[in-house]
Amino acid sequence: MDEAVAYRIARVTGSAELAEVTARLLDQLPSWFGMPEANVGYVEAAKRLPGLVAYAGAEAVRWRRPTTCGRATRA
């Protein structure tokens, strides 16, 4: 049986750190995020928008940048 891993979730307000984590994790998933021009937009947004980062020890292993969508945001 695999050993359980404890994750720490941190809210990160747009920063160079979040942009670096975003770029690194997108690069690890080319079949999901295989459009470099779109990935640039994700990384740029991470510099100014908040996000969540999951850490396993000191290593960032997951990220999520909350988005808003739905009726309230439609023009």
Side-chain angles (χ1 to χ4, degrees), residues 13-60:
T13 301
S15 67
E17 176 193 14
L18 186 57
E20 184 277 323
V21 169
T22 300
R24 184 170 51 81
L25 294 175
L26 289 174
D27 286 345
Q28 293 176 6
L29 300 166
S31 64
W32 288 4
F33 298 99
M35 297 176 58
E37 60 279 359
N39 292 352
V40 169
Y42 288 125
V43 173
E44 288 300 314
K47 291 178 182 176
R48 63 183 192 288
L49 298 172
L52 302 172
V53 178
Y55 294 91
E59 181 184 6

Side-chain angles (χ1 to χ4, degrees), residues 1 6 46 70:
M1 180 177 262

